[in-house]
Each structure stands twice: as C-alpha cells, then as structure tokens.
Amino acid sequence: MIVWPSHERLYRAEQVRELDRLTIAAGTTGFDLMQQAGRTAFRHLTRQWPDTRSITVVCGGGNNGGDGYVIAALAKRTMRVQVLAVTDPKTLSGEAEEAYQWALQRGVVVTRWQPESVITGQVVVDALLGIGLSGEVKAPFDTVIDQINSSEKPVLSVDVPSGLCADRGIPLGCAVQADLTVTFIGKKIGLWTGEGPALAGIRRFEPLLVPELVRAQVSETAEMISQEDIARLIKPRRRTAHKGDCGRILLVGGDLGFAGAIMLASQTAARSGAGLVKVMTRPEHVTALISRQPELMVSGLTSMHQLDEWLEWCDVVVLGPGLGQGGWGQQLWQKAMLATCAKIIDADALNLMATKPAFMQQLSDSAKNWVLTPHPGEAARLLECSVAEIEQDRPGAVRRIQQKFGGSVLLKGAGTLIFDGNLLSVNNSGNPGMASGGMGDVLAGLIGALRAQGLSGYDAACVGTQVHGLAADQLATQFGERGLLAADLIRPIRVLLNPECTKNEF
C-alpha cells in the first residue's frame, strides 16, 4: 500500500474530524489546535494582503467560529478589528467558548450581527460554518453569506468557504465566494472538485500538529495527482529501445465533418511517445491526416471488417473522437468494443455505450479493459440521470459509473476525478481556457499513448490528466487563457512527458 504524503491526501469531513479527535487523544489539546489554526490563517491573511489595516471577522458557532475569535485576537495587536457574532456567544461551548473568552481578554469587542450590520474591515474573515454543515444553509446564515459576497471586499475563508459541502464540492443553497481559503488538518476533497475550486479561490493547506502516526490511522478518501507522479511513472527510455517497444496504438473515428477530432487525437498520440500510430477514418480524411502528420499510418475505413487485422495488431485502441452515432460509427464501435485489447473510450463511443445496454451486457470481462473519459453530459447519459445530478455529487458519480461499467473512469470537469474501483484520484491542473473544442480529443490520444507505453489504465488516466492540465496552465501563463486551442497543447505535452528535459522551451 502506498503511503501518500499528507499534502497529497484528500479527506471527507468525517475523516478530518477523526484526525482531529485522535490528535487530541494523543495529547494535543483542542484549544492548541485552534490557536495554531488561527495563527496560520492570520499569517496567510497578512501575506496575501500585506497592506491590511482593518478586518471584519464574521463568527458562527462551533470550532469554525472559535478559529475566527483566535484570528480576531491576533489581529487586535496590529489592526482594527470588527467581530460580528452570528451565533450568540452565550451558547458557545468547549474550545469555541475558550477562544471567545481568550479574545475578550485581549481587548476584542464582539458585536452581535444584525441585518443592518455594516462590514467595515478591509478584509472579511469568514468563520461561519466550517465543515460541520450537513443540510442547506439556513437563516440567518444565508443572509450573512449574501452580505459577505456583496461587500466587494477580499474574503479569507477559514477551513472551507461557509456553505460549501466539504465532501462534494457543491454549495448547500448558497456559499461564500472566497479569495483565499486556509484549510487545516486534512485537505477536504470538496475544495478540489466541482464548484469548490472556484468558491475557495487560492487554497492553502496547514497540517497543524497532527502526527504522522495519527494520520496512518485514518485512510484518505482520495489522492491528489501531482507533478511528481509524472517523473515516477514516466521513465527515460532504454538506449536500445525501438518503435515496437514503445507501443502500437490504433485510433478509430473521424466521421464526415469530424476530421479534426481524430487528427488531434492521433497527433497527440504520436507526440506523446507511442511507437506506431495507426488511424482508421473516413476515406475522405486520409490525405488531410497524412499531410498534417506524415508519421501516421492512415487508412480509409468503409467496412467494420477492415478493423479485424488492426485490432489484433494494436496494444490499445482509442475509440470515439469524431466517431459519430450514425451507421458508420455504430458498426465500428461494435467491432472495436468486442476486442480484448486495452481501450480508451471517449466522446460518441461513450454515448453509444449509453444507448446500447443489451449489447453492453454481452461483453466479456476481458473486453472491459478500458478507460472511460466522460464529461458530465456523457456521464449523465451513462447513468441515465441529469447533468445536475452528476454535478451534485461528482465523487459519487464517478464511483457509480465504474461500478456499472468496470475499468477505470475519468470524470472530466474542474477537479477531474479518476476511479478504478479501488483508488480515487483528483487532478489539480488545468484552467478555464480549456473550455474550447478538441481538448477531450487531445486527452484521449495522450492517455492512449501512455497506455500503449505500458502504464496501467488508471496510471495513464492520472498522468494524462495531469500533463494535459499542466500544458494548458503553462500556455495560459505565457499567453492568457482566452483563445487557448487544443492543438496548442501538443508541444508542451511532449516537453512535460520528458521531465529530464523540462528546461527546454516549447
């Protein structure tokens, strides 16, 4: 079993509470943890906004409110502090009450929040709800959240933006829009997928005083894909390597009007290190593909029987880019799905899976050696539900797809998720510039090439997603997000897949 570094582990709220409980049982007091959380949050606040001379701390009950009172007491030494208590301080107990009294002793003035209260600080500290929220935000917290969001002032959220579900990454009715979130003890998965990344703003993690022996007692719910995974899984080639050692990949797709999809996927596969790349597409597209990338082996495809030889030849087939759902695409899909080679199934190949349940039931287990790469719309079709239901619980959705279809499943979107029935990973690379056509085709070709070079389906999906997003991030840093095209990613992908040469310009 891999023991992941603490900064790569992702937890559900209940697991973080267990880490907190075990740390206290091991000898660290709850108030010590709270003080450290307050100190680290205040340090991040002053680093992010060094010219701050006044803050407003909005406190709820429980430990999140307690963190807020600690921050207020620390800030009182150097700046003006306004504290608005949404929860009556008289109802506080445990460490939260201790923090409140500690703040009063240091001269903090606490005012009960009222609907007419005015936020006076330059920066707002959101210490309302934390990870304990189980249902939708109720009054008066919904009004307070609206007031914070409409204040047009920078916001630091303590642990998670109030109203955000720490497990699913969705707002529970409403949520604070933070500019900076400082999260403690364990990274909450909801901060890294769904709407969590957008609501959290900049995310900073502070492990606090949790010993590694305590962490070893609580299993994480997921792991964060990191840049280190690229170097760990993508090794330099042997000096005697030849093209047959580097994988044979077959790409099938590109119906009339969709030549670009199969072209992007096949070019990416070649540039991602596959030794031999065979493309089978509409005859009308052969000349264009060869002209664009002469290293490709391209054949026009008029009958599904033409696939037989190449399905036996290849190590992996990428099925779906530009495939379409017409008669041509359906025949090719059915033939390729029966093959026992590894598969990357994307785009219309996924839509056909959703519409052919009887055929899917006939497939042998050996034919299910695949990576499925749905976006939320395709995921909804696979699970026969709405896109809204997928986005309401992305971790649950990726698990349900895997349970239904097997293999490894990659659910695209902000905080892409990969699940193979055992391991769940979350990707943290990528940016909104990737909201343009063809990005999925590039990803399918990249994962196919990695799979052909010997990575497992799960590892190929994890590394492919990380590299895909990092390539987009590098381009966005240089040229901006707007106008980023899928073909732009191919060159930086090649650089990233050669970590020993990452100093090269792309």
Side-chain angles (χ1 to χ4, degrees):
M1 174 181 173
I2 297 174
V3 178
W4 297 97
S6 62
H7 66 278
E8 293 179 357
R9 304 173 199 166
L10 298 174
Y11 298 91
R12 298 189 305 277
E14 65 181 59
Q15 294 168 322
V16 174
R17 285 193 287 268
E18 180 65 4
L19 285 170
D20 185 272
R21 187 190 69 80
L22 290 171
T23 301
I24 293 171
T28 301
T29 71
F31 189 57
D32 283 342
L33 285 173
M34 188 170 286
Q35 284 188 306
Q36 192 186 21
R39 282 195 297 270
T40 57
F42 183 62
R43 184 174 68 246
H44 283 289
L45 186 154
T46 55
R47 286 178 179 175
Q48 184 67 26
W49 300 290
D51 297 328
T52 302
R53 295 294 175 263
S54 65
I55 65 171
T56 294
V57 185
V58 187
C59 293
N63 286 353
N64 201 242
D67 293 338
Y69 287 118
V70 171
I71 293 169
L74 296 169
K76 189 71 171 65
R77 302 170 183 170
T78 57
M79 58 183 68
R80 296 188 306 277
V81 177
Q82 177 192 34
V83 178
L84 297 175
V86 182
T87 300
D88 187 348
K90 295 177 182 178
T91 66
L92 298 176
S93 61
E95 290 87 7
E97 182 186 16
E98 192 173 353
Y100 169 68
Q101 296 296 338
W102 192 75
L104 293 181
Q105 292 164 13
R106 281 151 185 79
V108 173
V109 177
V110 178
T111 304
R112 285 298 307 277
W113 176 86
Q114 302 294 332
E116 61 272 17
S117 296
V118 176
I119 293 173
T120 61
Q122 293 172 283
V123 175
V124 181
V125 176
D126 157 33
L128 280 171
L129 296 171
I131 64 174
L133 189 64
S134 56
E136 290 208 349
V137 176
K138 298 177 181 178
F141 292 96
D142 54 351
T143 303
V144 180
I145 288 172
D146 287 342
Q147 185 179 21
I148 292 172
N149 289 341
S150 61
S151 71
E152 298 185 356
K153 296 185 178 184
V155 178
L156 180 151
S157 282
V158 178
D159 212 15
V160 297
S162 290
L164 177 71
C165 177
D167 294 346
R168 293 181 286 149
I170 61 167
L172 295 170
C174 62
V176 167
Q177 174 62 68
D179 298 279
L180 171 65
T181 298
V182 183
T183 195
F184 312 115
I185 297 181
K187 290 182 176 179
K188 292 79 184 170
I189 187 171
L191 289 173
W192 270 269
T193 193
E195 295 186 52
L199 288 169
I202 299 168
R203 292 156 297 185
R204 295 285 183 258
F205 171 56
E206 291 290 346
L208 304 188
L209 300 170
V210 182
E212 280 302 315
L213 287 175
V214 167
R215 291 191 183 279
Q217 298 177 55
V218 180
S219 297
E220 64 272 18
T221 194
E223 65 192 46
M224 183 84 74
I225 307 170
S226 69
Q227 223 167 330
E228 288 73 25
D229 292 325
I230 302 171
R232 179 172 61 86
L233 293 168
I234 305 297
K235 302 297 184 184
R237 290 181 172 175
R238 293 183 298 106
R239 296 300 88 193
T240 56
H242 57 81
K243 61 188 177 183
D245 295 331
C246 300
R248 299 183 296 271
I249 183 170
L250 170 66
L251 297 100
V252 181
D255 200 355
L256 296 176
F258 298 101
I262 197 68
M263 187 177 294
L264 285 167
S266 56
Q267 275 192 288
T268 305
R271 287 295 188 185
S272 300
L276 293 164
V277 182
K278 174 70 177 179
V279 185
M280 303 199 79
T281 186
R282 281 283 193 179
E284 292 86 346
H285 301 152
V286 172
T287 300
L289 264 76
I290 294 175
S291 299
R292 182 70 174 265
Q293 198 71 59
E295 295 85 356
L296 303 175
M297 301 180 288
V298 189
S299 296
L301 192 53
T302 57
S303 167
M304 65 177 181
H305 299 297
Q306 293 173 261
L307 285 177
D308 291 338
E309 173 188 354
W310 294 103
L311 288 170
E312 292 184 8
W313 166 85
C314 71
D315 299 306
V316 59
V317 58
V318 175
L319 181 64
L323 184 67
Q325 298 183 58
W328 184 81
Q330 288 190 40
Q331 289 186 46
L332 302 178
W333 174 82
Q334 183 168 317
K335 172 66 74 172
M337 291 293 284
L338 291 168
T340 57
C341 60
K343 304 178 189 71
I344 313 301
I345 301 178
D346 186 44
D348 277 328
L350 293 166
N351 292 326
L352 287 168
M353 288 179 68
T355 60
K356 305 289 183 182
F359 176 81
M360 294 300 298
Q361 290 177 3
Q362 298 173 16
L363 293 179
S364 65
D365 289 340
S366 60
K368 297 178 181 178
N369 181 17
W370 53 44
V371 177
L372 310 181
T373 61
H375 58 54
E378 292 157 349
R381 288 187 279 277
L382 290 171
L383 291 178
E384 301 177 90
C385 65
S386 67
V387 173
E389 288 175 281
I390 296 295
E391 296 291 25
Q392 279 291 304
D393 185 4
R394 286 172 52 81
V398 75
R399 290 177 184 277
R400 295 200 307 277
I401 296 170
Q402 199 283 330
Q403 289 165 2
K404 184 174 181 179
F405 294 100
S408 295
V409 180
L410 183 158
L411 179 57
K412 298 172 183 172
T416 291
L417 303 171
I418 301 101
F419 183 59
D420 69 350
N422 179 35
L423 297 170
L424 176 65
S425 283
V426 181
N427 181 56
N428 191 29
S429 64
N431 62 77
M434 301 174 78
S436 63
M439 290 289 175
D441 303 312
V442 168
L443 180 60
L446 169 57
I447 295 172
L450 295 172
R451 185 77 176 93
Q453 291 172 79
L455 270 66
S456 68
Y458 175 79
D459 285 342
C462 289
V463 173
T465 304
Q466 174 77 355
V467 168
H468 188 245
L470 286 174
D473 288 342
Q474 291 185 4
L475 289 166
T477 299
Q478 284 189 283
F479 307 111
E481 294 175 355
R482 191 171 284 108
L484 179 63
L485 297 180
D488 298 338
L489 270 61
I490 296 175
R491 189 170 182 181
I493 282 173
R494 181 187 176 192
V495 174
L496 288 161
L497 289 175
N498 291 279
E500 69 278 10
C501 301
T502 50
K503 292 183 181 179
N504 293 348
E505 296 290 334
F506 57 82

